[in-house]
Amino acid sequence: MLLIEIAHPTGRLDDHDRELVSRAVVDLFLDAHGHATETIRRARTATHIAFRELRGWWTGDGPLPDDVAPPLIITLTVPEAWREEAAGTFIGLVRTAVKRLDDHHGRRRPRGSLWVRVDGVPDGSLGLDGRPATGADVLAFLTEEFRTAWESGTSAPVPEGRLPDPICGMTVADGRNSLVMEDDGRRLGFCSQGCQDAYAREHPEAVVV
């Protein structure tokens, strides 16, 4: 799930700019490397990027000059259960996407002109297809196709030295700082605490190692 609203001063981004930023966000957030094809496909349907023009934009120094990169306020909406773990990564990816826009125009962005806010929505206050949902519901929606493939044994093979995340299909390094569980003699890795928690709920016999 990726809901992003990008607020900018009226007239300071054109259609090409908005397309460039949108494509950069999709490329960065939905990078297929290390992710299951099924999960990426479902995530694309749940990715929405919208732009909002705001009139009369002032800073503490007054009206905006025309010769600098326009200020941006970018809001990402995620389930509250994801916010703390994901916020730092998401903010960094948005910063990189905006840098692509600035580099395209050959301009340097003034400090303090890009603000990124990651908003967490409590369970039951986020509507998935118009129905109240939890963070676990959203995760189940995003990973449904992969989990069907995993359970049927048709998911893609895991590269050497990596561990499979049986929830979302991402492959994880088998390292000291990785989230790892063992279940029925099989070693499994998890890309996030959310995926590990989901597996633990469904497989109480699994052991954290």
Side-chain angles (χ1 to χ4, degrees):
M1 168 194 155
L2 189 58
L3 310 180
I4 297 182
E5 181 180 273
I6 301 174
H8 63 88
T10 298
R12 295 298 300 273
L13 295 184
D14 60 22
D15 287 343
H16 181 264
D17 293 332
R18 288 187 281 268
E19 180 179 351
L20 191 156
V21 172
S22 297
R23 290 189 180 279
V25 166
V26 169
D27 289 345
L28 292 163
F29 278 83
L30 301 178
D31 178 11
H33 179 70
H35 294 78
T37 301
E38 298 89 349
T39 302
I40 290 295
R41 182 165 56 240
R42 181 60 65 89
R44 286 180 178 274
T45 70
T47 295
H48 301 273
I49 306 163
F51 294 81
R52 183 159 58 97
E53 291 192 325
L54 299 179
R55 298 178 60 186
W57 195 308
W58 279 49
T59 72
D61 292 322
L64 297 171
D66 293 330
D67 58 348
V68 298
L72 302 172
I73 300 173
I74 302 179
T75 303
L76 295 86
T77 302
V78 299
E80 174 58 29
W82 303 6
R83 181 181 55 81
E84 185 174 354
E85 186 175 14
T89 298
F90 285 179
I91 290 170
L93 292 176
V94 167
R95 183 180 67 243
T96 299
V98 172
K99 187 177 185 303
R100 290 187 185 180
L101 173 67
D102 293 337
D103 289 349
H104 172 76
H105 287 284
R107 62 195 179 198
R108 183 176 179 181
R109 175 165 294 279
R111 294 193 64 189
S113 65
L114 171 62
W115 292 94
V116 183
R117 189 178 77 205
V118 181
D119 287 351
V121 182
D123 284 352
S125 297
L126 181 66
L128 171 60
D129 292 331
R131 295 179 176 84
T134 66
D137 294 332
V138 175
L139 180 61
F141 168 77
L142 294 174
T143 60
E144 181 181 24
E145 291 185 26
F146 166 75
R147 297 183 70 178
T148 298
W150 169 267
E151 290 164 8
S152 66
T154 60
S155 57
V158 178
E160 185 74 23
R162 308 283 290 181
L163 296 176
D165 184 327
I167 297 296
C168 71
M170 187 172 179
T171 62
V172 179
D174 190 1
R176 185 174 59 182
N177 297 321
S178 299
L179 298 173
V180 178
M181 300 184 81
E182 288 187 356
D183 187 10
D184 195 24
R186 186 170 193 182
R187 194 169 174 87
L188 303 169
F190 298 88
C191 72
S192 67
Q193 192 63 55
C195 280
Q196 186 181 52
D197 290 346
Y199 191 83
R201 283 193 301 269
E202 298 171 14
H203 301 82
E205 74 284 354
V207 178
V208 175
V209 296

